[in-house]
Amino acid sequence: FGGSNLLSYICTMKQKLYCYSFYEFKRLVENKDSFIMDDNTVIVSIAGENESTEHLFEESDRVLNVDFDDIDPHALGLEDGTLTWTHPKQGYTVTFISPEMADKIVRFIDKNNNKNIAVHCAAGASRSQGIVRYINDTYYDHEWETRESNPCLCPNMYVVMMLKRKYREIFQ
């Protein structure tokens, strides 16, 4: 590339906004995938209390680890602000995304919205896609490239709502 061709190429490059299941992400980490290991990629890792997933990196400037389950409290007839719920018969407890977790996610994404972003949760289908949907809706002036193999079809809308609400509280 030379001169104006290089500038044209750089201006048309899209930032990557990729969503993964835990096992896809773990395989990429084990294989030292260049996208995941790139200093220009930040990672949002979501784990839940009732899952066999884990955070694969220590939290850092490039990595945000959050823990909440893939359940909308409204679906259980609970009010906003409910942070946990214990199943009355089976006894397991679920944790919902809290305002504090939403604050961490929003600030992390805002600080790093000029980088590639990889988001993973257990299935890569709801919580992580909720964060991808929030990013697409909030940073609509960016050219994001998403994975064709995991399009944002069924985001957890409670996660999207919590992140958008927190963004408005912080920045507007």
Side-chain angles (χ1 to χ4, degrees), residues 126-159:
S126 186
R127 289 169 292 176
S128 57
Q129 288 189 10
I131 292 175
V132 167
R133 172 73 176 269
Y134 158 77
I135 293 168
N136 270 320
D137 289 354
T138 304
Y139 299 96
Y140 54 85
D141 57 335
H142 285 50
E143 289 278 337
W144 296 107
E145 173 187 314
T146 56
R147 293 176 60 214
E148 285 183 30
S149 63
N150 192 354
C152 193
L153 298 178
C154 52
N156 180 319
M157 293 309 290
Y158 184 72
V159 171

PDB file of all heavy atoms in Angstrom, residues 126-159:
ATOM      1  N   SER A 126     -26.918 -15.089  24.403  1.00  0.00           N
ATOM      2  CA  SER A 126     -27.883 -14.216  25.063  1.00  0.00           C
ATOM      3  C   SER A 126     -27.211 -13.065  25.810  1.00  0.00           C
ATOM      4  O   SER A 126     -27.339 -11.917  25.423  1.00  0.00           O
ATOM      5  CB  SER A 126     -28.757 -15.057  26.005  1.00  0.00           C
ATOM      6  OG  SER A 126     -29.779 -14.278  26.545  1.00  0.00           O
ATOM      7  N   ARG A 127     -26.481 -13.360  26.892  1.00  0.00           N
ATOM      8  CA  ARG A 127     -25.834 -12.282  27.649  1.00  0.00           C
ATOM      9  C   ARG A 127     -24.781 -11.576  26.809  1.00  0.00           C
ATOM     10  O   ARG A 127     -24.740 -10.346  26.745  1.00  0.00           O
ATOM     11  CB  ARG A 127     -25.183 -12.827  28.930  1.00  0.00           C
ATOM     12  CG  ARG A 127     -26.181 -13.253  29.974  1.00  0.00           C
ATOM     13  CD  ARG A 127     -25.531 -14.017  31.077  1.00  0.00           C
ATOM     14  NE  ARG A 127     -25.081 -15.303  30.545  1.00  0.00           N
ATOM     15  CZ  ARG A 127     -24.405 -16.194  31.242  1.00  0.00           C
ATOM     16  NH1 ARG A 127     -24.060 -15.943  32.492  1.00  0.00           N
ATOM     17  NH2 ARG A 127     -24.050 -17.336  30.705  1.00  0.00           N
ATOM     18  N   SER A 128     -23.907 -12.349  26.167  1.00  0.00           N
ATOM     19  CA  SER A 128     -22.860 -11.732  25.350  1.00  0.00           C
ATOM     20  C   SER A 128     -23.481 -10.976  24.182  1.00  0.00           C
ATOM     21  O   SER A 128     -23.027  -9.886  23.832  1.00  0.00           O
ATOM     22  CB  SER A 128     -21.860 -12.782  24.857  1.00  0.00           C
ATOM     23  OG  SER A 128     -22.504 -13.790  24.123  1.00  0.00           O
ATOM     24  N   GLN A 129     -24.536 -11.528  23.602  1.00  0.00           N
ATOM     25  CA  GLN A 129     -25.197 -10.819  22.509  1.00  0.00           C
ATOM     26  C   GLN A 129     -25.932  -9.575  23.020  1.00  0.00           C
ATOM     27  O   GLN A 129     -26.103  -8.614  22.280  1.00  0.00           O
ATOM     28  CB  GLN A 129     -26.149 -11.755  21.761  1.00  0.00           C
ATOM     29  CG  GLN A 129     -25.381 -12.757  20.936  1.00  0.00           C
ATOM     30  CD  GLN A 129     -26.268 -13.563  20.016  1.00  0.00           C
ATOM     31  OE1 GLN A 129     -27.445 -13.284  19.844  1.00  0.00           O
ATOM     32  NE2 GLN A 129     -25.688 -14.581  19.407  1.00  0.00           N
ATOM     33  N   GLY A 130     -26.346  -9.577  24.276  1.00  0.00           N
ATOM     34  CA  GLY A 130     -26.914  -8.366  24.869  1.00  0.00           C
ATOM     35  C   GLY A 130     -25.884  -7.247  24.906  1.00  0.00           C
ATOM     36  O   GLY A 130     -26.191  -6.083  24.609  1.00  0.00           O
ATOM     37  N   ILE A 131     -24.649  -7.594  25.254  1.00  0.00           N
ATOM     38  CA  ILE A 131     -23.577  -6.587  25.274  1.00  0.00           C
ATOM     39  C   ILE A 131     -23.260  -6.130  23.850  1.00  0.00           C
ATOM     40  O   ILE A 131     -23.089  -4.939  23.596  1.00  0.00           O
ATOM     41  CB  ILE A 131     -22.333  -7.132  26.006  1.00  0.00           C
ATOM     42  CG1 ILE A 131     -22.669  -7.297  27.497  1.00  0.00           C
ATOM     43  CG2 ILE A 131     -21.136  -6.209  25.812  1.00  0.00           C
ATOM     44  CD1 ILE A 131     -21.581  -7.936  28.330  1.00  0.00           C
ATOM     45  N   VAL A 132     -23.221  -7.069  22.897  1.00  0.00           N
ATOM     46  CA  VAL A 132     -22.975  -6.706  21.498  1.00  0.00           C
ATOM     47  C   VAL A 132     -24.081  -5.774  20.996  1.00  0.00           C
ATOM     48  O   VAL A 132     -23.807  -4.767  20.336  1.00  0.00           O
ATOM     49  CB  VAL A 132     -22.848  -7.972  20.621  1.00  0.00           C
ATOM     50  CG1 VAL A 132     -22.906  -7.628  19.141  1.00  0.00           C
ATOM     51  CG2 VAL A 132     -21.550  -8.711  20.945  1.00  0.00           C
ATOM     52  N   ARG A 133     -25.314  -6.084  21.317  1.00  0.00           N
ATOM     53  CA  ARG A 133     -26.446  -5.239  20.887  1.00  0.00           C
ATOM     54  C   ARG A 133     -26.319  -3.840  21.493  1.00  0.00           C
ATOM     55  O   ARG A 133     -26.523  -2.832  20.815  1.00  0.00           O
ATOM     56  CB  ARG A 133     -27.765  -5.903  21.296  1.00  0.00           C
ATOM     57  CG  ARG A 133     -28.990  -5.079  21.082  1.00  0.00           C
ATOM     58  CD  ARG A 133     -29.363  -4.978  19.594  1.00  0.00           C
ATOM     59  NE  ARG A 133     -30.578  -4.260  19.412  1.00  0.00           N
ATOM     60  CZ  ARG A 133     -31.785  -4.824  19.383  1.00  0.00           C
ATOM     61  NH1 ARG A 133     -31.924  -6.118  19.514  1.00  0.00           N
ATOM     62  NH2 ARG A 133     -32.834  -4.076  19.226  1.00  0.00           N
ATOM     63  N   TYR A 134     -25.989  -3.767  22.781  1.00  0.00           N
ATOM     64  CA  TYR A 134     -25.777  -2.475  23.439  1.00  0.00           C
ATOM     65  C   TYR A 134     -24.685  -1.681  22.709  1.00  0.00           C
ATOM     66  O   TYR A 134     -24.854  -0.494  22.435  1.00  0.00           O
ATOM     67  CB  TYR A 134     -25.410  -2.681  24.914  1.00  0.00           C
ATOM     68  CG  TYR A 134     -24.676  -1.507  25.506  1.00  0.00           C
ATOM     69  CD1 TYR A 134     -25.366  -0.351  25.859  1.00  0.00           C
ATOM     70  CD2 TYR A 134     -23.294  -1.530  25.672  1.00  0.00           C
ATOM     71  CE1 TYR A 134     -24.683   0.755  26.366  1.00  0.00           C
ATOM     72  CE2 TYR A 134     -22.618  -0.439  26.177  1.00  0.00           C
ATOM     73  CZ  TYR A 134     -23.317   0.700  26.523  1.00  0.00           C
ATOM     74  OH  TYR A 134     -22.642   1.792  27.019  1.00  0.00           O
ATOM     75  N   ILE A 135     -23.569  -2.324  22.397  1.00  0.00           N
ATOM     76  CA  ILE A 135     -22.463  -1.638  21.729  1.00  0.00           C
ATOM     77  C   ILE A 135     -22.904  -1.147  20.354  1.00  0.00           C
ATOM     78  O   ILE A 135     -22.657   0.008  19.985  1.00  0.00           O
ATOM     79  CB  ILE A 135     -21.227  -2.555  21.619  1.00  0.00           C
ATOM     80  CG1 ILE A 135     -20.656  -2.843  23.011  1.00  0.00           C
ATOM     81  CG2 ILE A 135     -20.164  -1.939  20.720  1.00  0.00           C
ATOM     82  CD1 ILE A 135     -19.613  -3.956  23.044  1.00  0.00           C
ATOM     83  N   ASN A 136     -23.557  -1.995  19.581  1.00  0.00           N
ATOM     84  CA  ASN A 136     -24.035  -1.600  18.250  1.00  0.00           C
ATOM     85  C   ASN A 136     -25.006  -0.426  18.328  1.00  0.00           C
ATOM     86  O   ASN A 136     -24.948   0.495  17.513  1.00  0.00           O
ATOM     87  CB  ASN A 136     -24.714  -2.775  17.547  1.00  0.00           C
ATOM     88  CG  ASN A 136     -23.758  -3.600  16.737  1.00  0.00           C
ATOM     89  OD1 ASN A 136     -22.868  -3.068  16.087  1.00  0.00           O
ATOM     90  ND2 ASN A 136     -23.924  -4.901  16.778  1.00  0.00           N
ATOM     91  N   ASP A 137     -25.914  -0.458  19.293  1.00  0.00           N
ATOM     92  CA  ASP A 137     -26.908   0.618  19.436  1.00  0.00           C
ATOM     93  C   ASP A 137     -26.294   1.906  19.953  1.00  0.00           C
ATOM     94  O   ASP A 137     -26.707   3.001  19.570  1.00  0.00           O
ATOM     95  CB  ASP A 137     -28.035   0.182  20.380  1.00  0.00           C
ATOM     96  CG  ASP A 137     -28.938  -0.877  19.792  1.00  0.00           C
ATOM     97  OD1 ASP A 137     -28.777  -1.223  18.607  1.00  0.00           O
ATOM     98  OD2 ASP A 137     -29.812  -1.379  20.544  1.00  0.00           O
ATOM     99  N   THR A 138     -25.314   1.799  20.829  1.00  0.00           N
ATOM    100  CA  THR A 138     -24.737   2.980  21.482  1.00  0.00           C
ATOM    101  C   THR A 138     -23.651   3.626  20.630  1.00  0.00           C
ATOM    102  O   THR A 138     -23.576   4.852  20.541  1.00  0.00           O
ATOM    103  CB  THR A 138     -24.169   2.591  22.866  1.00  0.00           C
ATOM    104  OG1 THR A 138     -25.222   1.974  23.619  1.00  0.00           O
ATOM    105  CG2 THR A 138     -23.651   3.805  23.604  1.00  0.00           C
ATOM    106  N   TYR A 139     -22.817   2.820  20.029  1.00  0.00           N
ATOM    107  CA  TYR A 139     -21.707   3.336  19.216  1.00  0.00           C
ATOM    108  C   TYR A 139     -22.034   3.099  17.740  1.00  0.00           C
ATOM    109  O   TYR A 139     -21.263   2.508  16.995  1.00  0.00           O
ATOM    110  CB  TYR A 139     -20.396   2.665  19.636  1.00  0.00           C
ATOM    111  CG  TYR A 139     -20.082   2.953  21.093  1.00  0.00           C
ATOM    112  CD1 TYR A 139     -20.434   2.052  22.089  1.00  0.00           C
ATOM    113  CD2 TYR A 139     -19.495   4.158  21.461  1.00  0.00           C
ATOM    114  CE1 TYR A 139     -20.188   2.334  23.425  1.00  0.00           C
ATOM    115  CE2 TYR A 139     -19.247   4.450  22.793  1.00  0.00           C
ATOM    116  CZ  TYR A 139     -19.595   3.534  23.764  1.00  0.00           C
ATOM    117  OH  TYR A 139     -19.363   3.824  25.080  1.00  0.00           O
ATOM    118  N   TYR A 140     -23.197   3.581  17.341  1.00  0.00           N
ATOM    119  CA  TYR A 140     -23.707   3.371  15.982  1.00  0.00           C
ATOM    120  C   TYR A 140     -22.857   4.063  14.917  1.00  0.00           C
ATOM    121  O   TYR A 140     -22.948   3.733  13.743  1.00  0.00           O
ATOM    122  CB  TYR A 140     -25.163   3.821  15.862  1.00  0.00           C
ATOM    123  CG  TYR A 140     -25.394   5.237  16.312  1.00  0.00           C
ATOM    124  CD1 TYR A 140     -25.204   6.304  15.454  1.00  0.00           C
ATOM    125  CD2 TYR A 140     -25.778   5.498  17.622  1.00  0.00           C
ATOM    126  CE1 TYR A 140     -25.388   7.603  15.880  1.00  0.00           C
ATOM    127  CE2 TYR A 140     -25.977   6.791  18.058  1.00  0.00           C
ATOM    128  CZ  TYR A 140     -25.788   7.838  17.187  1.00  0.00           C
ATOM    129  OH  TYR A 140     -25.968   9.122  17.616  1.00  0.00           O
ATOM    130  N   ASP A 141     -22.023   5.023  15.311  1.00  0.00           N
ATOM    131  CA  ASP A 141     -21.172   5.713  14.343  1.00  0.00           C
ATOM    132  C   ASP A 141     -19.917   4.905  14.012  1.00  0.00           C
ATOM    133  O   ASP A 141     -19.158   5.274  13.128  1.00  0.00           O
ATOM    134  CB  ASP A 141     -20.789   7.098  14.864  1.00  0.00           C
ATOM    135  CG  ASP A 141     -20.082   7.054  16.214  1.00  0.00           C
ATOM    136  OD1 ASP A 141     -20.275   6.075  16.971  1.00  0.00           O
ATOM    137  OD2 ASP A 141     -19.349   7.999  16.523  1.00  0.00           O
ATOM    138  N   HIS A 142     -19.700   3.783  14.707  1.00  0.00           N
ATOM    139  CA  HIS A 142     -18.558   2.910  14.422  1.00  0.00           C
ATOM    140  C   HIS A 142     -18.941   1.912  13.328  1.00  0.00           C
ATOM    141  O   HIS A 142     -20.101   1.560  13.174  1.00  0.00           O
ATOM    142  CB  HIS A 142     -18.167   2.109  15.669  1.00  0.00           C
ATOM    143  CG  HIS A 142     -17.453   2.906  16.702  1.00  0.00           C
ATOM    144  ND1 HIS A 142     -17.902   4.112  17.187  1.00  0.00           N
ATOM    145  CD2 HIS A 142     -16.313   2.654  17.376  1.00  0.00           C
ATOM    146  CE1 HIS A 142     -17.066   4.558  18.104  1.00  0.00           C
ATOM    147  NE2 HIS A 142     -16.099   3.697  18.237  1.00  0.00           N
ATOM    148  N   GLU A 143     -17.951   1.459  12.602  1.00  0.00           N
ATOM    149  CA  GLU A 143     -18.136   0.394  11.618  1.00  0.00           C
ATOM    150  C   GLU A 143     -17.721  -0.913  12.292  1.00  0.00           C
ATOM    151  O   GLU A 143     -16.545  -1.235  12.366  1.00  0.00           O
ATOM    152  CB  GLU A 143     -17.260   0.644  10.382  1.00  0.00           C
ATOM    153  CG  GLU A 143     -17.720   1.795   9.538  1.00  0.00           C
ATOM    154  CD  GLU A 143     -18.853   1.394   8.599  1.00  0.00           C
ATOM    155  OE1 GLU A 143     -18.992   0.198   8.282  1.00  0.00           O
ATOM    156  OE2 GLU A 143     -19.600   2.294   8.199  1.00  0.00           O
ATOM    157  N   TRP A 144     -18.675  -1.660  12.822  1.00  0.00           N
ATOM    158  CA  TRP A 144     -18.379  -2.903  13.521  1.00  0.00           C
ATOM    159  C   TRP A 144     -18.510  -4.091  12.576  1.00  0.00           C
ATOM    160  O   TRP A 144     -19.469  -4.197  11.826  1.00  0.00           O
ATOM    161  CB  TRP A 144     -19.347  -3.121  14.688  1.00  0.00           C
ATOM    162  CG  TRP A 144     -19.244  -2.099  15.770  1.00  0.00           C
ATOM    163  CD1 TRP A 144     -20.134  -1.115  16.044  1.00  0.00           C
ATOM    164  CD2 TRP A 144     -18.202  -1.968  16.743  1.00  0.00           C
ATOM    165  NE1 TRP A 144     -19.721  -0.378  17.120  1.00  0.00           N
ATOM    166  CE2 TRP A 144     -18.539  -0.877  17.570  1.00  0.00           C
ATOM    167  CE3 TRP A 144     -17.027  -2.664  16.985  1.00  0.00           C
ATOM    168  CZ2 TRP A 144     -17.737  -0.477  18.631  1.00  0.00           C
ATOM    169  CZ3 TRP A 144     -16.233  -2.258  18.043  1.00  0.00           C
ATOM    170  CH2 TRP A 144     -16.585  -1.175  18.853  1.00  0.00           C
ATOM    171  N   GLU A 145     -17.566  -4.986  12.652  1.00  0.00           N
ATOM    172  CA  GLU A 145     -17.648  -6.257  11.924  1.00  0.00           C
ATOM    173  C   GLU A 145     -18.033  -7.321  12.943  1.00  0.00           C
ATOM    174  O   GLU A 145     -17.380  -7.467  13.976  1.00  0.00           O
ATOM    175  CB  GLU A 145     -16.284  -6.590  11.316  1.00  0.00           C
ATOM    176  CG  GLU A 145     -16.218  -7.958  10.676  1.00  0.00           C
ATOM    177  CD  GLU A 145     -14.806  -8.319  10.246  1.00  0.00           C
ATOM    178  OE1 GLU A 145     -14.132  -7.473   9.624  1.00  0.00           O
ATOM    179  OE2 GLU A 145     -14.384  -9.440  10.552  1.00  0.00           O
ATOM    180  N   THR A 146     -19.118  -8.041  12.675  1.00  0.00           N
ATOM    181  CA  THR A 146     -19.541  -9.109  13.568  1.00  0.00           C
ATOM    182  C   THR A 146     -19.398 -10.453  12.860  1.00  0.00           C
ATOM    183  O   THR A 146     -19.283 -10.512  11.648  1.00  0.00           O
ATOM    184  CB  THR A 146     -20.998  -8.903  14.044  1.00  0.00           C
ATOM    185  OG1 THR A 146     -21.830  -8.788  12.895  1.00  0.00           O
ATOM    186  CG2 THR A 146     -21.122  -7.645  14.890  1.00  0.00           C
ATOM    187  N   ARG A 147     -19.416 -11.521  13.625  1.00  0.00           N
ATOM    188  CA  ARG A 147     -19.233 -12.864  13.078  1.00  0.00           C
ATOM    189  C   ARG A 147     -20.508 -13.351  12.405  1.00  0.00           C
ATOM    190  O   ARG A 147     -21.562 -13.360  13.015  1.00  0.00           O
ATOM    191  CB  ARG A 147     -18.862 -13.837  14.189  1.00  0.00           C
ATOM    192  CG  ARG A 147     -17.526 -13.574  14.797  1.00  0.00           C
ATOM    193  CD  ARG A 147     -17.229 -14.496  15.964  1.00  0.00           C
ATOM    194  NE  ARG A 147     -17.233 -15.889  15.555  1.00  0.00           N
ATOM    195  CZ  ARG A 147     -17.657 -16.878  16.338  1.00  0.00           C
ATOM    196  NH1 ARG A 147     -18.124 -16.631  17.533  1.00  0.00           N
ATOM    197  NH2 ARG A 147     -17.616 -18.109  15.913  1.00  0.00           N
ATOM    198  N   GLU A 148     -20.388 -13.784  11.170  1.00  0.00           N
ATOM    199  CA  GLU A 148     -21.543 -14.351  10.469  1.00  0.00           C
ATOM    200  C   GLU A 148     -22.029 -15.617  11.153  1.00  0.00           C
ATOM    201  O   GLU A 148     -23.222 -15.906  11.168  1.00  0.00           O
ATOM    202  CB  GLU A 148     -21.192 -14.655   9.016  1.00  0.00           C
ATOM    203  CG  GLU A 148     -21.108 -13.421   8.151  1.00  0.00           C
ATOM    204  CD  GLU A 148     -20.837 -13.778   6.695  1.00  0.00           C
ATOM    205  OE1 GLU A 148     -21.251 -14.867   6.251  1.00  0.00           O
ATOM    206  OE2 GLU A 148     -20.210 -12.947   6.027  1.00  0.00           O
ATOM    207  N   SER A 149     -21.106 -16.380  11.737  1.00  0.00           N
ATOM    208  CA  SER A 149     -21.481 -17.640  12.372  1.00  0.00           C
ATOM    209  C   SER A 149     -22.188 -17.436  13.713  1.00  0.00           C
ATOM    210  O   SER A 149     -22.739 -18.371  14.268  1.00  0.00           O
ATOM    211  CB  SER A 149     -20.250 -18.525  12.573  1.00  0.00           C
ATOM    212  OG  SER A 149     -19.345 -17.896  13.457  1.00  0.00           O
ATOM    213  N   ASN A 150     -22.168 -16.224  14.254  1.00  0.00           N
ATOM    214  CA  ASN A 150     -22.862 -15.951  15.512  1.00  0.00           C
ATOM    215  C   ASN A 150     -23.457 -14.541  15.457  1.00  0.00           C
ATOM    216  O   ASN A 150     -23.030 -13.649  16.170  1.00  0.00           O
ATOM    217  CB  ASN A 150     -21.903 -16.095  16.698  1.00  0.00           C
ATOM    218  CG  ASN A 150     -22.637 -16.121  18.025  1.00  0.00           C
ATOM    219  OD1 ASN A 150     -23.849 -15.918  18.088  1.00  0.00           O
ATOM    220  ND2 ASN A 150     -21.911 -16.367  19.090  1.00  0.00           N
ATOM    221  N   PRO A 151     -24.479 -14.353  14.612  1.00  0.00           N
ATOM    222  CA  PRO A 151     -25.090 -13.031  14.523  1.00  0.00           C
ATOM    223  C   PRO A 151     -25.891 -12.727  15.793  1.00  0.00           C
ATOM    224  O   PRO A 151     -26.268 -13.635  16.529  1.00  0.00           O
ATOM    225  CB  PRO A 151     -26.006 -13.144  13.303  1.00  0.00           C
ATOM    226  CG  PRO A 151     -26.339 -14.588  13.239  1.00  0.00           C
ATOM    227  CD  PRO A 151     -25.129 -15.326  13.743  1.00  0.00           C
ATOM    228  N   CYS A 152     -26.134 -11.496  16.021  1.00  0.00           N
ATOM    229  CA  CYS A 152     -26.832 -11.057  17.240  1.00  0.00           C
ATOM    230  C   CYS A 152     -28.348 -11.215  17.055  1.00  0.00           C
ATOM    231  O   CYS A 152     -29.058 -10.255  16.791  1.00  0.00           O
ATOM    232  CB  CYS A 152     -26.445  -9.607  17.532  1.00  0.00           C
ATOM    233  SG  CYS A 152     -26.915  -9.060  19.162  1.00  0.00           S
ATOM    234  N   LEU A 153     -28.834 -12.447  17.189  1.00  0.00           N
ATOM    235  CA  LEU A 153     -30.242 -12.736  16.920  1.00  0.00           C
ATOM    236  C   LEU A 153     -31.134 -12.732  18.158  1.00  0.00           C
ATOM    237  O   LEU A 153     -32.300 -12.411  18.075  1.00  0.00           O
ATOM    238  CB  LEU A 153     -30.375 -14.092  16.213  1.00  0.00           C
ATOM    239  CG  LEU A 153     -29.711 -14.199  14.849  1.00  0.00           C
ATOM    240  CD1 LEU A 153     -29.871 -15.605  14.301  1.00  0.00           C
ATOM    241  CD2 LEU A 153     -30.299 -13.182  13.885  1.00  0.00           C
ATOM    242  N   CYS A 154     -30.586 -13.145  19.297  1.00  0.00           N
ATOM    243  CA  CYS A 154     -31.443 -13.247  20.484  1.00  0.00           C
ATOM    244  C   CYS A 154     -30.750 -12.703  21.734  1.00  0.00           C
ATOM    245  O   CYS A 154     -30.496 -13.439  22.681  1.00  0.00           O
ATOM    246  CB  CYS A 154     -31.909 -14.681  20.682  1.00  0.00           C
ATOM    247  SG  CYS A 154     -30.580 -15.893  20.678  1.00  0.00           S
ATOM    248  N   PRO A 155     -30.443 -11.408  21.729  1.00  0.00           N
ATOM    249  CA  PRO A 155     -29.776 -10.836  22.910  1.00  0.00           C
ATOM    250  C   PRO A 155     -30.698 -10.830  24.123  1.00  0.00           C
ATOM    251  O   PRO A 155     -31.919 -10.742  23.990  1.00  0.00           O
ATOM    252  CB  PRO A 155     -29.446  -9.411  22.468  1.00  0.00           C
ATOM    253  CG  PRO A 155     -30.462  -9.096  21.424  1.00  0.00           C
ATOM    254  CD  PRO A 155     -30.722 -10.401  20.713  1.00  0.00           C
ATOM    255  N   ASN A 156     -30.106 -10.929  25.281  1.00  0.00           N
ATOM    256  CA  ASN A 156     -30.855 -10.788  26.530  1.00  0.00           C
ATOM    257  C   ASN A 156     -31.213  -9.299  26.642  1.00  0.00           C
ATOM    258  O   ASN A 156     -30.353  -8.460  26.897  1.00  0.00           O
ATOM    259  CB  ASN A 156     -29.991 -11.249  27.706  1.00  0.00           C
ATOM    260  CG  ASN A 156     -30.694 -11.141  29.037  1.00  0.00           C
ATOM    261  OD1 ASN A 156     -31.390 -10.173  29.315  1.00  0.00           O
ATOM    262  ND2 ASN A 156     -30.481 -12.142  29.873  1.00  0.00           N
ATOM    263  N   MET A 157     -32.480  -8.984  26.418  1.00  0.00           N
ATOM    264  CA  MET A 157     -32.909  -7.583  26.379  1.00  0.00           C
ATOM    265  C   MET A 157     -32.856  -6.912  27.753  1.00  0.00           C
ATOM    266  O   MET A 157     -32.761  -5.695  27.845  1.00  0.00           O
ATOM    267  CB  MET A 157     -34.299  -7.460  25.753  1.00  0.00           C
ATOM    268  CG  MET A 157     -34.311  -7.823  24.258  1.00  0.00           C
ATOM    269  SD  MET A 157     -33.050  -6.960  23.275  1.00  0.00           S
ATOM    270  CE  MET A 157     -33.687  -5.286  23.295  1.00  0.00           C
ATOM    271  N   TYR A 158     -32.904  -7.695  28.826  1.00  0.00           N
ATOM    272  CA  TYR A 158     -32.730  -7.108  30.160  1.00  0.00           C
ATOM    273  C   TYR A 158     -31.306  -6.572  30.303  1.00  0.00           C
ATOM    274  O   TYR A 158     -31.097  -5.482  30.838  1.00  0.00           O
ATOM    275  CB  TYR A 158     -33.043  -8.135  31.250  1.00  0.00           C
ATOM    276  CG  TYR A 158     -32.971  -7.543  32.635  1.00  0.00           C
ATOM    277  CD1 TYR A 158     -33.951  -6.655  33.075  1.00  0.00           C
ATOM    278  CD2 TYR A 158     -31.930  -7.853  33.486  1.00  0.00           C
ATOM    279  CE1 TYR A 158     -33.878  -6.091  34.347  1.00  0.00           C
ATOM    280  CE2 TYR A 158     -31.852  -7.304  34.755  1.00  0.00           C
ATOM    281  CZ  TYR A 158     -32.829  -6.419  35.171  1.00  0.00           C
ATOM    282  OH  TYR A 158     -32.753  -5.864  36.421  1.00  0.00           O
ATOM    283  N   VAL A 159     -30.320  -7.319  29.794  1.00  0.00           N
ATOM    284  CA  VAL A 159     -28.926  -6.851  29.813  1.00  0.00           C
ATOM    285  C   VAL A 159     -28.802  -5.575  28.985  1.00  0.00           C
ATOM    286  O   VAL A 159     -28.215  -4.591  29.439  1.00  0.00           O
ATOM    287  CB  VAL A 159     -27.970  -7.949  29.289  1.00  0.00           C
ATOM    288  CG1 VAL A 159     -26.556  -7.404  29.095  1.00  0.00           C
ATOM    289  CG2 VAL A 159     -27.953  -9.138  30.241  1.00  0.00           C
TER     290      VAL A 159
END
